[in-house]
Amino acid sequence: EAGVVQSPRYKIIEKKQPVAFWCNPISGHNTLYWYLQNLGQGPELLIRYENEEAVDDSQLPKDRFSAERLKGVDSTLKIQPAELGDSAVYLCASSTRTSGAYNEQFFGPGTRLTVL
Amino acid sequence: AQSVTQLGSHVSVSEGALVLLRCNYSSSVPPYLFWYVQYPNQGLQLLLKYTSAATLVKGINGFEAEFKKSETSFHLTKPSAHMSDAAEYFCAVSVGNTGFQKLVFGTGTRLLVSP
């Protein structure tokens, strides 16, 4: 079974430029998460999707960040414009959704963004 | 609010020595607790989880953790370190209802293993 796929793995851009990250979750996983991991820190949830609906985006800086999951499968996270402080690793994770049980989150390898 | 605190940003051990990585949690309700490992340039991999069953939880790669409510701790141990255990380890607590869990992570502990 293929894991969570993310691309690109690395991205270097200049500040004020736009950037997009792509995530393809594990087949059959209807819950998708985007996390931000700053250097030396644990991941922090940015947004969670149940199918195509964003059900928790309270930590997403909506002035410059946006995300979509149009068909309830793969997802794109965008930053426009990027700032120096956005340099970090962006992790995508997915899980099934079964009520009354714990659903393990499976993580992709992440996209390491460097903003110059 | 639920949170976890990992004591020690770096832990160094010799190959074959005991590994002990510390995690304390804060939760107003019985927590779900997790340990994840992150190898360089890779995503997080679940090592083990506590979901209110047995307090001693065994995970992959010989790791285990014990849930101690009286100490609000969930420390990760391994009897004998291998070079391949060198990685970043994150403790996490689950926030929210069963069926949906938002994971709140600690700041991580980097395990260094010397020959």
Side-chain angles (χ1 to χ4, degrees), chain A residues 9 37 48 97 101 105 108, chain B residues 34 38 41 43 90 99-101:
Chain A
R9 291 294 312 277
Q37 186 177 19
R48 174 176 70 93
R97 174 138 172 81
Q105 296 183 27
Chain B
F34 311 86
Q38 186 176 34
N41 300 315
F90 293 95
F100 156 56
Q101 293 86 25

Side-chain angles (χ1 to χ4, degrees), chain A residues 3-116:
Chain A
V4 176
V5 178
Q6 291 189 247
S7 69
R9 291 294 312 277
Y10 304 91
K11 187 73 175 178
I12 301 174
I13 61 172
E14 294 187 346
K15 63 181 180 181
K16 301 185 181 180
Q17 295 300 305
V19 64
F21 315 124
W22 177 79
C23 172
N24 191 34
I26 293 173
S27 178
H29 284 194
N30 45 13
T31 306
L32 184 146
Y33 312 77
W34 282 103
Y35 287 87
L36 165 68
Q37 186 177 19
N38 286 305
L39 184 65
Q41 301 293 318
E44 299 174 33
L45 181 68
L46 287 173
I47 188 169
R48 174 176 70 93
Y49 281 92
E50 295 291 342
N51 299 306
E52 65 275 8
E53 181 182 2
V55 295
D56 183 357
D57 62 355
S58 57
Q59 300 303 310
L60 189 71
K62 298 181 182 60
D63 56 336
R64 297 184 300 108
F65 286 66
S66 64
E68 60 183 16
R69 194 185 184 198
L70 295 176
K71 297 183 179 179
V73 180
D74 57 346
S75 175
T76 302
L77 177 68
K78 299 178 181 178
I79 308 175
Q80 182 170 7
E83 298 178 352
L84 294 176
D86 296 330
S87 295
V89 176
Y90 293 83
L91 294 167
C92 180
S94 69
S95 69
T96 57
R97 174 138 172 81
T98 305
S99 62
Y102 168 71
N103 303 301
E104 180 179 345
Q105 296 183 27
F106 293 84
F107 285 80
T111 297
R112 182 177 297 276
L113 173 67
T114 301
V115 182
L116 302 176

Side-chain angles (χ1 to χ4, degrees), chain B residues 6-7 9 14-15 23 27 37 49 54 59 64 68 72 79 84 86-87 96-98 104 106-107 109 112:
Chain B
Q6 292 184 242
L7 300 177
S9 59
S14 299
E15 192 172 21
C23 174
S27 178
V37 61
K49 60 182 183 285
E64 63 181 37
K68 292 186 176 181
T72 62
S84 60
N97 300 320
T98 56
V104 176
T107 52
T109 297
L112 306 171

Side-chain angles (χ1 to χ4, degrees), chain B residues 4-32:
Chain B
V4 291
T5 301
Q6 292 184 242
L7 300 177
S9 59
H10 292 80
V11 170
S12 295
V13 300
S14 299
E15 192 172 21
L18 172 70
V19 175
L20 171 61
L21 304 182
R22 299 177 185 273
C23 174
N24 288 88
Y25 70 89
S26 172
S27 178
S28 57
V29 298
Y32 285 7

Side-chain angles (χ1 to χ4, degrees), chain B residues 3 12 17 19 21 23 28 30 35 39 45 53 67 70-71 75 82 104 109 113:
Chain B
S3 65
S12 295
V19 175
L21 304 182
C23 174
S28 57
W35 276 99
Y39 297 101
Q45 180 183 9
F67 174 73
S70 61
E71 298 178 8
H75 301 331
H82 293 171
V104 176
T109 297
V113 183

